[in-house]
């Protein structure tokens, strides 16, 4: 998520000019987000969603994953474009980071 947020942060002025507000969401607490943003100079805002049945659950992005044969819960890298009326206009699931921010900006 570091590279992805850096990419969105680098294009933030262009998103702002297009009238698009950015918001990254994770289960991490706000204090951790603050340290993360400061460490990498990130400008795309981050929201904390630690609650069970919160936004990540409602959007279906808090999913079971596996690595090295072990299962765990984690965020599925997903981007939602929400239109001016608050409707989801487009969804990118299982995002590959390289070039993704520029693709969303288009």
């Amino acid at each position: 998520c570091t590279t992805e947020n850096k990419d969105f942060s680098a294009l933030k002025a262009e998103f702002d000019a297009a009238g698009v507000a950015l918001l990254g969401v994770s289960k991490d607490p706000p204090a951790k987000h603050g340290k993360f943003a400061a460490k990498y100079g990130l400008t795309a805002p981050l929201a904390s969603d630690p609650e069970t049945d919160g936004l990540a659950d409602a959007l279906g992005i808090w999913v079971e994953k596996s690595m090295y044969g072990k299962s765990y819960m984690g965020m599925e890298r997903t981007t939602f474009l929400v239109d001016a009326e608050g409707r989801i206009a487009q969804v990118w699931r299982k995002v590959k980071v390289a070039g993704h921010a520029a693709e969303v900006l288009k």
Side-chain angles (χ1 to χ4, degrees), residues 57-105:
D57 293 296
L59 294 173
I61 59 175
W62 185 244
V63 298
E64 186 174 337
K65 298 175 144 190
S66 71
M67 183 181 291
Y68 305 117
K70 295 188 178 204
S71 294
Y72 64 98
M73 294 302 289
M75 296 292 264
E76 179 180 79
R77 192 179 305 276
T78 305
T79 299
F80 294 89
L81 179 63
V82 180
D83 68 17
E85 285 77 40
R87 294 181 300 243
I88 296 174
Q90 188 165 348
V91 178
W92 291 264
R93 295 212 179 259
K94 298 184 181 178
V95 167
K96 302 289 187 237
V97 174
H100 178 63
E103 178 186 354
V104 174
L105 182 59

